[in-house]
């Protein structure tokens, strides 16, 4: 079940992030390193509390009353960027490949079409996260750019930051080859 996140979900969201960052299989999927895991519950609660008033979306996916995934969308605050925002999400590893990411994004897209002036959903995905890249492409996101070797891991290896976007309806002009 998908629902709007509440203050009481802050710890669960942080635990999901920690699980992804600390897992040997998924540690390279987030920008945060195992040495710098976000753990500030108060800060997470504040983000959840102010989310809707800022034009943001913060949702969770529950199974048996347990939060097992989340999606956050933050609308850019600068006037010239206000037509766009960025998303991030995480799902507990044992629940991956079950369609939860698809459902979270579908919920975001449904919500986004009702938002006044929102035209573009942006994201960055680490190039080693092939599962996420396939999901985003399947959902209609297109690659817009790539920052090569943008991420440097503790073991000295690198990954690219792949920039992707989803355009809502036909709100974006087709000038300059964009659609």
């Amino acid at each position: 079940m998908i629902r709007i996140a509440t203050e009481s979900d802050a710890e669960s969201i942080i635990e999901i992030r920690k699980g992804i960052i600390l897992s040997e299989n998924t540690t390279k999927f987030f920008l945060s390193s195992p040495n710098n895991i976000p753990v500030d519950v108060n800060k997470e609660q504040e983000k959840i509390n102010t989310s809707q008033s800022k034009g943001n979306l913060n949702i969770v996916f529950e199974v048996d009353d347990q939060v097992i995934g989340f999606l956050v969308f933050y609308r850019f605050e600068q006037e010239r960027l206000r037509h766009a925002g960025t998303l991030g999400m995480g799902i507990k590893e044992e629940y991956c490949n079950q369609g939860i990411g698809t459902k979270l994004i579908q919920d975001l897209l449904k919500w986004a079409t009702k938002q006044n002036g929102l035209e573009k959903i942006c994201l960055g995905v680490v190039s080693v996260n092939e599962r996420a890249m396939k999901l985003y492409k399947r959902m209609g996101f297109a690659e817009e750019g790539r920052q090569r070797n943008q991420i440097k891991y503790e073991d000295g290896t690198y990954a690219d930051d792949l920039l992707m976007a989803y355009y809502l309806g036909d709100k974006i002009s087709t000038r300059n080859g964009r659609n």
Side-chain angles (χ1 to χ4, degrees):
M1 171 182 91
I2 296 174
R3 63 171 174 78
I4 298 290
T6 64
E7 196 175 293
S8 63
D9 297 317
E11 284 187 53
S12 296
I13 292 169
I14 289 171
E15 287 305 311
I16 292 168
R17 283 191 185 117
K18 284 169 50 175
I20 293 168
I21 294 166
L22 293 175
S23 168
E24 188 176 308
N25 297 327
T26 58
T27 187
K28 292 186 174 188
F29 293 176
F30 272 21
L31 296 180
S32 298
S33 78
N35 303 324
N36 189 21
I37 297 173
V39 293
D40 189 337
V41 174
N42 292 330
K43 188 175 181 180
E44 191 67 35
Q45 288 173 333
E46 178 64 24
K47 283 193 261 181
I48 291 169
N49 284 336
T50 62
S51 188
Q52 288 181 320
S53 66
K54 291 184 174 185
N56 300 332
L57 180 68
N58 201 326
I59 56 177
V60 294
F61 194 102
E62 278 186 330
V63 172
D64 298 327
D65 296 323
Q66 178 190 0
V67 174
I68 56 93
F70 68 90
L71 182 145
V72 294
F73 173 81
Y74 298 112
R75 191 130 179 208
F76 297 128
E77 294 186 16
Q78 290 179 292
E79 184 179 347
R80 291 183 175 180
L81 300 177
R82 191 84 180 125
H83 68 286
T86 186
L87 86 88
M89 72 175 181
I91 300 166
K92 285 186 175 184
E93 191 171 2
E94 60 268 27
Y95 290 93
C96 288
N97 297 315
Q98 297 181 25
I100 294 167
T102 298
K103 290 176 183 170
L104 285 167
I105 292 174
Q106 286 171 336
D107 201 74
L108 166 66
L109 296 178
K110 182 179 175 185
W111 171 87
T113 60
K114 299 174 186 170
Q115 302 309 302
N116 187 32
L118 183 59
E119 300 173 6
K120 182 179 179 183
I121 299 171
C122 306
L123 62 87
V125 61
V126 181
S127 60
V128 297
N129 192 348
E130 293 178 17
R131 181 172 58 204
M133 289 187 298
K134 286 178 186 175
L135 168 64
Y136 297 136
K137 286 178 184 176
R138 191 174 69 247
M139 297 301 298
F141 286 79
E143 182 175 340
E144 291 197 316
R146 181 180 293 257
Q147 295 178 300
R148 301 208 181 276
N149 294 336
Q150 182 71 8
I151 299 121
K152 184 175 182 180
Y153 297 112
E154 293 76 14
D155 64 4
T157 60
Y158 294 88
D160 298 345
D161 188 12
L162 182 65
L163 307 174
M164 301 183 82
Y166 182 96
Y167 291 91
L168 297 162
D170 58 354
K171 295 178 183 177
I172 300 293
S173 169
T174 56
R175 286 184 301 136
N176 300 323
R178 294 193 175 120
N179 47 9

